[in-house]
mmCIF file with all atom_site columns, all heavy atoms in Angstrom:
data_model
loop_
_atom_site.group_PDB
_atom_site.id
_atom_site.type_symbol
_atom_site.label_atom_id
_atom_site.label_alt_id
_atom_site.label_comp_id
_atom_site.label_asym_id
_atom_site.label_entity_id
_atom_site.label_seq_id
_atom_site.pdbx_PDB_ins_code
_atom_site.Cartn_x
_atom_site.Cartn_y
_atom_site.Cartn_z
_atom_site.occupancy
_atom_site.B_iso_or_equiv
_atom_site.pdbx_formal_charge
_atom_site.auth_seq_id
_atom_site.auth_comp_id
_atom_site.auth_asym_id
_atom_site.auth_atom_id
_atom_site.pdbx_PDB_model_num
ATOM 1   N N   . ASN A 1 93  ? -8.147  26.059 -0.978 1.00 97.00 ? 93  ASN A N   1
ATOM 2   C CA  . ASN A 1 93  ? -8.147  25.319 0.275  1.00 97.00 ? 93  ASN A CA  1
ATOM 3   C C   . ASN A 1 93  ? -9.398  24.556 0.539  1.00 97.00 ? 93  ASN A C   1
ATOM 4   O O   . ASN A 1 93  ? -9.351  23.355 0.958  1.00 97.00 ? 93  ASN A O   1
ATOM 5   C CB  . ASN A 1 93  ? -7.912  26.325 1.421  1.00 97.00 ? 93  ASN A CB  1
ATOM 6   C CG  . ASN A 1 93  ? -6.493  26.895 1.447  1.00 97.00 ? 93  ASN A CG  1
ATOM 7   O OD1 . ASN A 1 93  ? -5.639  26.426 0.691  1.00 97.00 ? 93  ASN A OD1 1
ATOM 8   N ND2 . ASN A 1 93  ? -6.266  27.855 2.267  1.00 97.00 ? 93  ASN A ND2 1
ATOM 9   N N   . THR A 1 94  ? -10.574 25.159 0.318  1.00 98.00 ? 94  THR A N   1
ATOM 10  C CA  . THR A 1 94  ? -11.810 24.464 0.632  1.00 98.00 ? 94  THR A CA  1
ATOM 11  C C   . THR A 1 94  ? -12.362 23.667 -0.531 1.00 98.00 ? 94  THR A C   1
ATOM 12  O O   . THR A 1 94  ? -12.626 22.480 -0.392 1.00 98.00 ? 94  THR A O   1
ATOM 13  C CB  . THR A 1 94  ? -12.887 25.515 1.028  1.00 98.00 ? 94  THR A CB  1
ATOM 14  O OG1 . THR A 1 94  ? -12.323 26.447 1.983  1.00 98.00 ? 94  THR A OG1 1
ATOM 15  C CG2 . THR A 1 94  ? -14.122 24.843 1.637  1.00 98.00 ? 94  THR A CG2 1
ATOM 16  N N   . GLY A 1 95  ? -12.437 24.294 -1.690 1.00 97.00 ? 95  GLY A N   1
ATOM 17  C CA  . GLY A 1 95  ? -13.017 23.589 -2.841 1.00 97.00 ? 95  GLY A CA  1
ATOM 18  C C   . GLY A 1 95  ? -12.171 22.385 -3.235 1.00 97.00 ? 95  GLY A C   1
ATOM 19  O O   . GLY A 1 95  ? -12.675 21.320 -3.528 1.00 97.00 ? 95  GLY A O   1
ATOM 20  N N   . ASN A 1 96  ? -10.868 22.511 -3.260 1.00 97.00 ? 96  ASN A N   1
ATOM 21  C CA  . ASN A 1 96  ? -9.990  21.434 -3.738 1.00 97.00 ? 96  ASN A CA  1
ATOM 22  C C   . ASN A 1 96  ? -9.953  20.319 -2.635 1.00 97.00 ? 96  ASN A C   1
ATOM 23  O O   . ASN A 1 96  ? -9.793  19.130 -2.977 1.00 97.00 ? 96  ASN A O   1
ATOM 24  C CB  . ASN A 1 96  ? -8.594  21.955 -4.010 1.00 97.00 ? 96  ASN A CB  1
ATOM 25  C CG  . ASN A 1 96  ? -8.526  22.601 -5.340 1.00 97.00 ? 96  ASN A CG  1
ATOM 26  O OD1 . ASN A 1 96  ? -9.482  22.621 -6.162 1.00 97.00 ? 96  ASN A OD1 1
ATOM 27  N ND2 . ASN A 1 96  ? -7.393  23.242 -5.675 1.00 97.00 ? 96  ASN A ND2 1
ATOM 28  N N   . THR A 1 97  ? -10.088 20.668 -1.377 1.00 98.00 ? 97  THR A N   1
ATOM 29  C CA  . THR A 1 97  ? -10.156 19.652 -0.317 1.00 98.00 ? 97  THR A CA  1
ATOM 30  C C   . THR A 1 97  ? -11.427 18.857 -0.499 1.00 98.00 ? 97  THR A C   1
ATOM 31  O O   . THR A 1 97  ? -11.452 17.610 -0.342 1.00 98.00 ? 97  THR A O   1
ATOM 32  C CB  . THR A 1 97  ? -10.110 20.274 1.093  1.00 98.00 ? 97  THR A CB  1
ATOM 33  O OG1 . THR A 1 97  ? -8.834  20.945 1.230  1.00 98.00 ? 97  THR A OG1 1
ATOM 34  C CG2 . THR A 1 97  ? -10.261 19.240 2.163  1.00 98.00 ? 97  THR A CG2 1
ATOM 35  N N   . ARG A 1 98  ? -12.539 19.482 -0.791 1.00 98.00 ? 98  ARG A N   1
ATOM 36  C CA  . ARG A 1 98  ? -13.817 18.758 -1.058 1.00 98.00 ? 98  ARG A CA  1
ATOM 37  C C   . ARG A 1 98  ? -13.652 17.790 -2.233 1.00 98.00 ? 98  ARG A C   1
ATOM 38  O O   . ARG A 1 98  ? -14.071 16.655 -2.159 1.00 98.00 ? 98  ARG A O   1
ATOM 39  C CB  . ARG A 1 98  ? -14.941 19.755 -1.338 1.00 98.00 ? 98  ARG A CB  1
ATOM 40  C CG  . ARG A 1 98  ? -16.310 19.090 -1.440 1.00 98.00 ? 98  ARG A CG  1
ATOM 41  C CD  . ARG A 1 98  ? -17.219 19.826 -2.426 1.00 98.00 ? 98  ARG A CD  1
ATOM 42  N NE  . ARG A 1 98  ? -16.770 19.772 -3.762 1.00 98.00 ? 98  ARG A NE  1
ATOM 43  C CZ  . ARG A 1 98  ? -16.911 18.696 -4.564 1.00 98.00 ? 98  ARG A CZ  1
ATOM 44  N NH1 . ARG A 1 98  ? -17.545 17.634 -4.151 1.00 98.00 ? 98  ARG A NH1 1
ATOM 45  N NH2 . ARG A 1 98  ? -16.487 18.734 -5.835 1.00 98.00 ? 98  ARG A NH2 1
ATOM 46  N N   . LEU A 1 99  ? -13.062 18.291 -3.277 1.00 97.00 ? 99  LEU A N   1
ATOM 47  C CA  . LEU A 1 99  ? -12.868 17.491 -4.463 1.00 97.00 ? 99  LEU A CA  1
ATOM 48  C C   . LEU A 1 99  ? -11.960 16.294 -4.191 1.00 97.00 ? 99  LEU A C   1
ATOM 49  O O   . LEU A 1 99  ? -12.281 15.134 -4.610 1.00 97.00 ? 99  LEU A O   1
ATOM 50  C CB  . LEU A 1 99  ? -12.296 18.311 -5.646 1.00 97.00 ? 99  LEU A CB  1
ATOM 51  C CG  . LEU A 1 99  ? -12.345 17.698 -7.028 1.00 97.00 ? 99  LEU A CG  1
ATOM 52  C CD1 . LEU A 1 99  ? -12.409 18.761 -8.061 1.00 97.00 ? 99  LEU A CD1 1
ATOM 53  C CD2 . LEU A 1 99  ? -11.112 16.822 -7.267 1.00 97.00 ? 99  LEU A CD2 1
ATOM 54  N N   . LEU A 1 100 ? -10.868 16.526 -3.464 1.00 98.00 ? 100 LEU A N   1
ATOM 55  C CA  . LEU A 1 100 ? -9.926  15.457 -3.155 1.00 98.00 ? 100 LEU A CA  1
ATOM 56  C C   . LEU A 1 100 ? -10.624 14.391 -2.233 1.00 98.00 ? 100 LEU A C   1
ATOM 57  O O   . LEU A 1 100 ? -10.479 13.216 -2.409 1.00 98.00 ? 100 LEU A O   1
ATOM 58  C CB  . LEU A 1 100 ? -8.732  15.996 -2.463 1.00 98.00 ? 100 LEU A CB  1
ATOM 59  C CG  . LEU A 1 100 ? -7.643  15.006 -2.029 1.00 98.00 ? 100 LEU A CG  1
ATOM 60  C CD1 . LEU A 1 100 ? -7.037  14.254 -3.208 1.00 98.00 ? 100 LEU A CD1 1
ATOM 61  C CD2 . LEU A 1 100 ? -6.538  15.719 -1.220 1.00 98.00 ? 100 LEU A CD2 1
ATOM 62  N N   . ALA A 1 101 ? -11.372 14.879 -1.267 1.00 98.00 ? 101 ALA A N   1
ATOM 63  C CA  . ALA A 1 101 ? -12.049 13.948 -0.363 1.00 98.00 ? 101 ALA A CA  1
ATOM 64  C C   . ALA A 1 101 ? -13.105 13.139 -1.074 1.00 98.00 ? 101 ALA A C   1
ATOM 65  O O   . ALA A 1 101 ? -13.169 11.887 -0.908 1.00 98.00 ? 101 ALA A O   1
ATOM 66  C CB  . ALA A 1 101 ? -12.708 14.701 0.816  1.00 98.00 ? 101 ALA A CB  1
ATOM 67  N N   . ALA A 1 102 ? -13.810 13.751 -1.983 1.00 97.00 ? 102 ALA A N   1
ATOM 68  C CA  . ALA A 1 102 ? -14.838 13.036 -2.781 1.00 97.00 ? 102 ALA A CA  1
ATOM 69  C C   . ALA A 1 102 ? -14.156 12.000 -3.654 1.00 97.00 ? 102 ALA A C   1
ATOM 70  O O   . ALA A 1 102 ? -14.697 10.844 -3.773 1.00 97.00 ? 102 ALA A O   1
ATOM 71  C CB  . ALA A 1 102 ? -15.627 14.046 -3.630 1.00 97.00 ? 102 ALA A CB  1
ATOM 72  N N   . ALA A 1 103 ? -13.063 12.359 -4.309 1.00 97.00 ? 103 ALA A N   1
ATOM 73  C CA  . ALA A 1 103 ? -12.340 11.390 -5.138 1.00 97.00 ? 103 ALA A CA  1
ATOM 74  C C   . ALA A 1 103 ? -11.821 10.205 -4.320 1.00 97.00 ? 103 ALA A C   1
ATOM 75  O O   . ALA A 1 103 ? -11.859 9.069  -4.748 1.00 97.00 ? 103 ALA A O   1
ATOM 76  C CB  . ALA A 1 103 ? -11.206 12.117 -5.915 1.00 97.00 ? 103 ALA A CB  1
ATOM 77  N N   . ALA A 1 104 ? -11.318 10.503 -3.127 1.00 97.00 ? 104 ALA A N   1
ATOM 78  C CA  . ALA A 1 104 ? -10.791 9.469  -2.235 1.00 97.00 ? 104 ALA A CA  1
ATOM 79  C C   . ALA A 1 104 ? -11.901 8.531  -1.808 1.00 97.00 ? 104 ALA A C   1
ATOM 80  O O   . ALA A 1 104 ? -11.752 7.297  -1.878 1.00 97.00 ? 104 ALA A O   1
ATOM 81  C CB  . ALA A 1 104 ? -10.159 10.090 -1.015 1.00 97.00 ? 104 ALA A CB  1
ATOM 82  N N   . ILE A 1 105 ? -13.052 9.044  -1.475 1.00 98.00 ? 105 ILE A N   1
ATOM 83  C CA  . ILE A 1 105 ? -14.184 8.159  -1.026 1.00 98.00 ? 105 ILE A CA  1
ATOM 84  C C   . ILE A 1 105 ? -14.673 7.324  -2.212 1.00 98.00 ? 105 ILE A C   1
ATOM 85  O O   . ILE A 1 105 ? -14.941 6.121  -2.099 1.00 98.00 ? 105 ILE A O   1
ATOM 86  C CB  . ILE A 1 105 ? -15.298 9.079  -0.503 1.00 98.00 ? 105 ILE A CB  1
ATOM 87  C CG1 . ILE A 1 105 ? -14.927 9.729  0.809  1.00 98.00 ? 105 ILE A CG1 1
ATOM 88  C CG2 . ILE A 1 105 ? -16.605 8.262  -0.358 1.00 98.00 ? 105 ILE A CG2 1
ATOM 89  C CD1 . ILE A 1 105 ? -15.800 10.855 1.240  1.00 98.00 ? 105 ILE A CD1 1
ATOM 90  N N   . GLU A 1 106 ? -14.723 7.903  -3.399 1.00 97.00 ? 106 GLU A N   1
ATOM 91  C CA  . GLU A 1 106 ? -15.134 7.125  -4.595 1.00 97.00 ? 106 GLU A CA  1
ATOM 92  C C   . GLU A 1 106 ? -14.127 6.051  -4.884 1.00 97.00 ? 106 GLU A C   1
ATOM 93  O O   . GLU A 1 106 ? -14.480 4.947  -5.374 1.00 97.00 ? 106 GLU A O   1
ATOM 94  C CB  . GLU A 1 106 ? -15.202 8.128  -5.779 1.00 97.00 ? 106 GLU A CB  1
ATOM 95  C CG  . GLU A 1 106 ? -15.647 7.473  -7.060 1.00 97.00 ? 106 GLU A CG  1
ATOM 96  C CD  . GLU A 1 106 ? -15.759 8.521  -8.197 1.00 97.00 ? 106 GLU A CD  1
ATOM 97  O OE1 . GLU A 1 106 ? -16.213 9.641  -7.939 1.00 97.00 ? 106 GLU A OE1 1
ATOM 98  O OE2 . GLU A 1 106 ? -15.286 8.206  -9.352 1.00 97.00 ? 106 GLU A OE2 1
ATOM 99  N N   . ALA A 1 107 ? -12.839 6.253  -4.641 1.00 97.00 ? 107 ALA A N   1
ATOM 100 C CA  . ALA A 1 107 ? -11.769 5.265  -4.877 1.00 97.00 ? 107 ALA A CA  1
ATOM 101 C C   . ALA A 1 107 ? -11.613 4.246  -3.763 1.00 97.00 ? 107 ALA A C   1
ATOM 102 O O   . ALA A 1 107 ? -10.810 3.365  -3.842 1.00 97.00 ? 107 ALA A O   1
ATOM 103 C CB  . ALA A 1 107 ? -10.469 5.988  -5.167 1.00 97.00 ? 107 ALA A CB  1
ATOM 104 N N   . GLY A 1 108 ? -12.370 4.431  -2.690 1.00 97.00 ? 108 GLY A N   1
ATOM 105 C CA  . GLY A 1 108 ? -12.314 3.508  -1.538 1.00 97.00 ? 108 GLY A CA  1
ATOM 106 C C   . GLY A 1 108 ? -11.103 3.751  -0.620 1.00 97.00 ? 108 GLY A C   1
ATOM 107 O O   . GLY A 1 108 ? -10.720 2.876  0.164  1.00 97.00 ? 108 GLY A O   1
ATOM 108 N N   . ILE A 1 109 ? -10.583 4.972  -0.661 1.00 98.00 ? 109 ILE A N   1
ATOM 109 C CA  . ILE A 1 109 ? -9.488  5.317  0.238  1.00 98.00 ? 109 ILE A CA  1
ATOM 110 C C   . ILE A 1 109 ? -10.044 5.904  1.563  1.00 98.00 ? 109 ILE A C   1
ATOM 111 O O   . ILE A 1 109 ? -10.732 6.903  1.556  1.00 98.00 ? 109 ILE A O   1
ATOM 112 C CB  . ILE A 1 109 ? -8.518  6.406  -0.429 1.00 98.00 ? 109 ILE A CB  1
ATOM 113 C CG1 . ILE A 1 109 ? -7.943  5.794  -1.700 1.00 98.00 ? 109 ILE A CG1 1
ATOM 114 C CG2 . ILE A 1 109 ? -7.404  6.818  0.553  1.00 98.00 ? 109 ILE A CG2 1
ATOM 115 C CD1 . ILE A 1 109 ? -7.249  6.847  -2.564 1.00 98.00 ? 109 ILE A CD1 1
ATOM 116 N N   . ARG A 1 110 ? -9.816  5.188  2.640  1.00 97.00 ? 110 ARG A N   1
ATOM 117 C CA  . ARG A 1 110 ? -10.500 5.471  3.879  1.00 97.00 ? 110 ARG A CA  1
ATOM 118 C C   . ARG A 1 110 ? -9.772  6.402  4.859  1.00 97.00 ? 110 ARG A C   1
ATOM 119 O O   . ARG A 1 110 ? -10.378 6.952  5.776  1.00 97.00 ? 110 ARG A O   1
ATOM 120 C CB  . ARG A 1 110 ? -10.755 4.154  4.617  1.00 97.00 ? 110 ARG A CB  1
ATOM 121 C CG  . ARG A 1 110 ? -11.574 3.153  3.805  1.00 97.00 ? 110 ARG A CG  1
ATOM 122 C CD  . ARG A 1 110 ? -11.786 1.828  4.548  1.00 97.00 ? 110 ARG A CD  1
ATOM 123 N NE  . ARG A 1 110 ? -12.461 2.077  5.868  1.00 97.00 ? 110 ARG A NE  1
ATOM 124 C CZ  . ARG A 1 110 ? -11.930 1.748  7.029  1.00 97.00 ? 110 ARG A CZ  1
ATOM 125 N NH1 . ARG A 1 110 ? -10.693 1.230  7.113  1.00 97.00 ? 110 ARG A NH1 1
ATOM 126 N NH2 . ARG A 1 110 ? -12.625 1.945  8.135  1.00 97.00 ? 110 ARG A NH2 1
ATOM 127 N N   . HIS A 1 111 ? -8.463  6.625  4.663  1.00 98.00 ? 111 HIS A N   1
ATOM 128 C CA  . HIS A 1 111 ? -7.691  7.300  5.644  1.00 98.00 ? 111 HIS A CA  1
ATOM 129 C C   . HIS A 1 111 ? -7.198  8.622  5.088  1.00 98.00 ? 111 HIS A C   1
ATOM 130 O O   . HIS A 1 111 ? -6.565  8.696  4.025  1.00 98.00 ? 111 HIS A O   1
ATOM 131 C CB  . HIS A 1 111 ? -6.480  6.481  6.034  1.00 98.00 ? 111 HIS A CB  1
ATOM 132 C CG  . HIS A 1 111 ? -6.849  5.104  6.502  1.00 98.00 ? 111 HIS A CG  1
ATOM 133 N ND1 . HIS A 1 111 ? -6.223  3.962  6.063  1.00 98.00 ? 111 HIS A ND1 1
ATOM 134 C CD2 . HIS A 1 111 ? -7.830  4.663  7.387  1.00 98.00 ? 111 HIS A CD2 1
ATOM 135 C CE1 . HIS A 1 111 ? -6.752  2.892  6.631  1.00 98.00 ? 111 HIS A CE1 1
ATOM 136 N NE2 . HIS A 1 111 ? -7.733  3.288  7.412  1.00 98.00 ? 111 HIS A NE2 1
ATOM 137 N N   . PHE A 1 112 ? -7.403  9.733  5.836  1.00 98.00 ? 112 PHE A N   1
ATOM 138 C CA  . PHE A 1 112 ? -7.154  11.039 5.300  1.00 98.00 ? 112 PHE A CA  1
ATOM 139 C C   . PHE A 1 112 ? -6.591  11.920 6.423  1.00 98.00 ? 112 PHE A C   1
ATOM 140 O O   . PHE A 1 112 ? -7.307  12.070 7.486  1.00 98.00 ? 112 PHE A O   1
ATOM 141 C CB  . PHE A 1 112 ? -8.467  11.627 4.776  1.00 98.00 ? 112 PHE A CB  1
ATOM 142 C CG  . PHE A 1 112 ? -8.371  12.859 3.902  1.00 98.00 ? 112 PHE A CG  1
ATOM 143 C CD1 . PHE A 1 112 ? -8.418  12.733 2.517  1.00 98.00 ? 112 PHE A CD1 1
ATOM 144 C CD2 . PHE A 1 112 ? -8.190  14.109 4.440  1.00 98.00 ? 112 PHE A CD2 1
ATOM 145 C CE1 . PHE A 1 112 ? -8.323  13.882 1.704  1.00 98.00 ? 112 PHE A CE1 1
ATOM 146 C CE2 . PHE A 1 112 ? -8.145  15.226 3.635  1.00 98.00 ? 112 PHE A CE2 1
ATOM 147 C CZ  . PHE A 1 112 ? -8.170  15.119 2.234  1.00 98.00 ? 112 PHE A CZ  1
ATOM 148 N N   . VAL A 1 113 ? -5.406  12.454 6.248  1.00 98.00 ? 113 VAL A N   1
ATOM 149 C CA  . VAL A 1 113 ? -4.848  13.371 7.266  1.00 98.00 ? 113 VAL A CA  1
ATOM 150 C C   . VAL A 1 113 ? -4.775  14.753 6.645  1.00 98.00 ? 113 VAL A C   1
ATOM 151 O O   . VAL A 1 113 ? -4.141  14.923 5.579  1.00 98.00 ? 113 VAL A O   1
ATOM 152 C CB  . VAL A 1 113 ? -3.468  12.877 7.741  1.00 98.00 ? 113 VAL A CB  1
ATOM 153 C CG1 . VAL A 1 113 ? -2.913  13.842 8.816  1.00 98.00 ? 113 VAL A CG1 1
ATOM 154 C CG2 . VAL A 1 113 ? -3.521  11.467 8.270  1.00 98.00 ? 113 VAL A CG2 1
ATOM 155 N N   . PHE A 1 114 ? -5.342  15.727 7.334  1.00 98.00 ? 114 PHE A N   1
ATOM 156 C CA  . PHE A 1 114 ? -5.594  17.065 6.735  1.00 98.00 ? 114 PHE A CA  1
ATOM 157 C C   . PHE A 1 114 ? -4.753  18.088 7.497  1.00 98.00 ? 114 PHE A C   1
ATOM 158 O O   . PHE A 1 114 ? -4.708  18.136 8.737  1.00 98.00 ? 114 PHE A O   1
ATOM 159 C CB  . PHE A 1 114 ? -7.058  17.428 6.819  1.00 98.00 ? 114 PHE A CB  1
ATOM 160 C CG  . PHE A 1 114 ? -7.375  18.831 6.399  1.00 98.00 ? 114 PHE A CG  1
ATOM 161 C CD1 . PHE A 1 114 ? -7.112  19.243 5.103  1.00 98.00 ? 114 PHE A CD1 1
ATOM 162 C CD2 . PHE A 1 114 ? -7.903  19.747 7.280  1.00 98.00 ? 114 PHE A CD2 1
ATOM 163 C CE1 . PHE A 1 114 ? -7.394  20.555 4.667  1.00 98.00 ? 114 PHE A CE1 1
ATOM 164 C CE2 . PHE A 1 114 ? -8.164  21.026 6.869  1.00 98.00 ? 114 PHE A CE2 1
ATOM 165 C CZ  . PHE A 1 114 ? -7.904  21.430 5.559  1.00 98.00 ? 114 PHE A CZ  1
#
Side-chain angles (χ1 to χ4, degrees):
N93 290 350
T94 312
N96 284 352
T97 297
R98 187 211 66 80
L99 193 150
L100 178 63
I105 292 166
E106 183 179 317
I109 300 169
R110 301 178 59 239
H111 307 132
F112 195 99
V113 183
F114 175 62

